[in-house]
Amino acid sequence: MTRRHNRTRAERGIPEATVARLPVYLRALHSLQERGVATVSSEELATAAGVNSAKLRKDLSHLGSYGTRGVGYEVEYLVYQISRELGLTQDWVVAIIGVGNLGRALAGYGGFASRGFRVAALLDADESVVGERISGLTVRHIDDLESVVAEQGVSIAVLATPAAAAQSLCDRVVAAGVTSVLNFAPVVLSVPEGVDVRKVDLSIELQILAFHEQRKAGGPGEGGWAGELDGPGDRPRGEGPPGTKQYIEAVEA
Amino acid sequence: MTRRHNRTRAERGIPEATVARLPVYLRALHSLQERGVATVSSEELATAAGVNSAKLRKDLSHLGSYGTRGVGYEVEYLVYQISRELGLTQDWVVAIIGVGNLGRALAGYGGFASRGFRVAALLDADESVVGERISGLTVRHIDDLESVVAEQGVSIAVLATPAAAAQSLCDRVVAAGVTSVLNFAPVVLSVPEGVDVRKVDLSIELQILAFHEQRKAGGPGEGGWAGELDGPGDRPRGEGPPGTKQYIEAVEA
DNA sequence: CGGACTTTGTGCGCGTGTTCACAAAGGCTT
DNA sequence: AAGCCTTTGTGAACACGCGCACAAAGTCCG
């Protein structure tokens, strides 16, 4: 441990994996705070967050040296430090684009406001929805997107539209100056350099679960590949693609 | 490339990172299929899926050798192979626990059925919701959870409940035999060995976006760390935790 | 005031995932 | 049938993240 200047830490670079866990730690800390806990050890906090304690300590060390050896971390202080690092000490203005089932659910989700996210606008293309009041907001028409973004100072756009509309709406919000997008539409968005996109895809999550579930039940497509090493029925490798032969057979197997 | 037996591929182990991308490829392939495209190169498919082409080829190589050099991949065949690997050639029975805003949105989400996921049950603890018909299903009372799981053969549970209820409901579905859980509640679930849990957390995604957004705007807490190398106002490292001194100052900064 | 005890912060080795770059394979043209 | 062109499949180097294990640092008690 080279003492020296106290800048040994990541100058600017907190690992992405760490950033993704900070919100989890923060939640655990809030929970502790509510229970009146003032101090917590890395071991306890790690358990609450569902991670390894060494990983937690290393994560926190990227923010600075905020623990006390022999004691642990002061909950309130840590809450503040993580909040500041994540940018939660300031307010973020969010616009939700698309007020279908999902958009409504998001508009009513309480987890946003409590974290410094202020849903300031709901927009939709459907005339029959425009004007409706949802969770204290009046739905605006998508034509007003640019002006709403400007007026409200929107910095994060949440796309909860059908897949077909997502890319063009994304282009519009980006053109309007938004540089962070949370995308619920099942499409890969392409955005210019400097714009961040995060994707939430329900169907992909289920598919990943299905993969593991299938594995537990034993091999792909049911039945697995009995004799892998040789003999007939070997894995179709370079079998010459879809002659429609063993392809169809496999379908019916 | 050592020819030999054609088992050089992962015997049973497809990397987790690859599994997470297969659904994305699958979606891109479906899109191509709808447009009547019969053959696609790794370069084209990679672009459509938003990944590097080498990565895509390596991912696909884990499933087998399904391409034709000089040509590319046959779309229909690849769709089938990926579907089979992910276990989408069979039906998966899904139960949604918690019929609030989010649960309703999920119940109405079309992206499930089209991928072999059949929502077979909706459950809630709120008497005033039980009996209601949503998306063709009648909401059952949570007391019936065990019997519903057994009767319908539920293999995947989707938790869309408040945080406080999630763990105990998770315990119940696991006890009832479910081994895959998709959790929307903002808590870390603990489950026994052999049970898979995937988490979708809206607020975490926003917090990660906020972190990057803040960074673009220049440093944490606004203002960044002007002189990092020396002088006063240096990064609080080992400054002795919350003496409440510069902690409070920073809050008001 | 000193020593025992607790807990942090991190060096280090390991495994996983990503990317480059290229030889081999197949199709296509002449 | 021979050679050219395209594209796959993968070896190898590199980057990243994880977790162990431990020294350093601090607390607390006698």
Side-chain angles (χ1 to χ4, degrees):
Chain A
M1 185 202 300
T2 50
R3 186 71 44 75
R4 307 169 64 71
H5 317 77
N6 39 9
R7 59 182 165 86
T8 330
R9 179 208 60 276
E11 210 61 53
R12 238 330 69 119
I14 295 179
E16 197 53 36
T18 295
V19 173
R21 281 187 295 267
L22 289 180
V24 180
Y25 302 154
L26 193 52
R27 180 141 64 215
L29 286 166
H30 276 131
S31 166
L32 290 170
Q33 218 168 16
E34 281 168 21
R35 278 187 279 148
V37 177
T39 286
V40 67
S41 71
S42 65
E43 194 62 44
E44 294 167 312
L45 185 53
T47 302
V51 303
N52 179 299
S53 71
K55 179 152 61 180
L56 178 131
R57 286 197 298 276
K58 191 160 287 184
D59 283 342
L60 295 184
S61 78
H62 286 118
L63 313 189
S65 193
Y66 298 141
T68 306
R69 295 171 189 233
V71 178
Y73 300 88
E74 215 254 353
V75 174
E76 190 189 1
Y77 186 57
L78 204 49
V79 163
Y80 166 68
Q81 289 299 345
I82 295 179
S83 296
R84 188 181 51 83
E85 197 67 44
L86 286 173
L88 305 183
T89 51
Q90 55 190 289
D91 263 29
W92 297 100
V93 181
V94 175
I96 296 177
I97 324 275
V99 191
N101 284 329
L102 184 57
R104 284 162 203 265
L106 295 174
Y109 179 50
F112 292 160
S114 64
R115 295 280 184 286
F117 296 99
R118 187 163 54 84
V119 178
L122 306 177
L123 298 110
D124 203 297
D126 186 347
E127 300 283 0
S128 68
V129 185
V130 173
E132 191 178 332
R133 281 192 78 79
I134 297 176
S135 300
L137 286 169
T138 302
V139 178
R140 303 278 302 265
H141 193 277
I142 195 66
D143 285 351
D144 301 340
L145 191 151
E146 286 75 11
S147 52
V148 168
V149 167
E151 287 163 17
Q152 302 284 338
V154 172
S155 51
I156 301 178
V158 175
L159 288 177
T161 67
Q167 180 66 62
S168 74
L169 285 170
C170 175
D171 292 344
R172 283 180 64 189
V173 296
V174 168
V178 172
T179 51
S180 290
V181 176
L182 180 53
N183 178 36
F184 285 86
V187 282
V188 176
L189 293 179
S190 72
V191 293
E193 182 85 8
V195 175
D196 284 304
V197 175
R198 292 194 65 87
K199 169 188 67 168
V200 173
D201 194 310
L202 315 176
S203 130
I204 284 182
E205 298 301 324
L206 280 185
Q207 289 175 61
I208 295 172
L209 283 175
F211 171 82
H212 292 295
E213 191 66 28
Q214 171 179 240
R215 179 142 302 192
K216 291 175 204 164
E222 281 294 300
W225 310 91
E228 180 93 31
L229 294 190
D230 58 3
D234 200 8
R235 185 64 167 273
R237 171 170 274 269
E239 281 284 294
T244 336
K245 13 175 192 277
Q246 42 87 262
Y247 168 30
I248 293 301
E249 291 170 24
V251 174
E252 303 172 340
Chain B
M1 184 203 301
T2 50
R3 185 73 44 75
R4 306 167 66 72
H5 317 77
N6 40 9
R7 59 180 165 88
T8 329
R9 180 206 61 275
E11 210 62 53
R12 239 328 71 122
I14 295 179
E16 196 53 39
T18 295
V19 173
R21 281 187 295 266
L22 289 180
V24 180
Y25 303 153
L26 192 53
R27 179 142 65 217
L29 286 166
H30 276 132
S31 166
L32 290 169
Q33 218 168 17
E34 280 167 22
R35 279 188 278 149
V37 178
T39 287
V40 67
S41 72
S42 64
E43 193 63 44
E44 294 167 313
L45 184 53
T47 302
V51 302
N52 179 299
S53 71
K55 179 151 59 179
L56 178 130
R57 287 197 297 277
K58 190 155 285 188
D59 281 343
L60 294 185
S61 78
H62 286 117
L63 313 189
S65 194
Y66 300 141
T68 306
R69 294 170 190 233
V71 178
Y73 300 87
E74 215 254 352
V75 175
E76 190 188 1
Y77 188 57
L78 204 48
V79 163
Y80 166 69
Q81 290 297 346
I82 295 180
S83 296
R84 188 181 50 83
E85 198 67 44
L86 286 174
L88 307 183
T89 51
Q90 56 191 287
D91 262 29
W92 296 101
V93 181
V94 176
I96 297 176
I97 323 275
V99 191
N101 284 327
L102 185 56
R104 285 161 203 266
L106 294 174
Y109 180 49
F112 293 159
S114 63
R115 294 278 184 288
F117 297 98
R118 186 164 55 85
V119 178
L122 307 177
L123 298 109
D124 204 297
D126 186 348
E127 300 283 1
S128 68
V129 185
V130 174
E132 192 178 332
R133 281 192 77 80
I134 297 175
S135 300
L137 287 170
T138 302
V139 178
R140 303 279 302 267
H141 192 278
I142 196 66
D143 285 350
D144 301 340
L145 192 150
E146 287 74 11
S147 52
V148 167
V149 167
E151 286 163 17
Q152 302 284 337
V154 172
S155 51
I156 301 178
V158 175
L159 287 178
T161 67
Q167 180 66 62
S168 73
L169 285 170
C170 176
D171 292 344
R172 283 180 64 189
V173 295
V174 168
V178 172
T179 52
S180 290
V181 176
L182 181 53
N183 177 36
F184 285 86
V187 283
V188 176
L189 293 179
S190 72
V191 294
E193 182 84 9
V195 176
D196 284 304
V197 175
R198 292 194 66 87
K199 169 189 66 169
V200 173
D201 194 310
L202 315 176
S203 133
I204 284 183
E205 297 302 322
L206 280 185
Q207 290 175 61
I208 295 172
L209 283 174
F211 171 82
H212 293 294
E213 191 66 28
Q214 172 178 241
R215 177 141 304 192
K216 290 176 203 163
E222 280 293 301
W225 310 93
E228 179 94 31
L229 295 191
D230 57 4
D234 199 8
R235 186 64 164 275
R237 169 170 275 270
E239 280 284 294
T244 338
K245 16 174 191 278
Q246 40 88 266
Y247 167 30
I248 293 300
E249 292 169 22
V251 175
E252 303 172 341

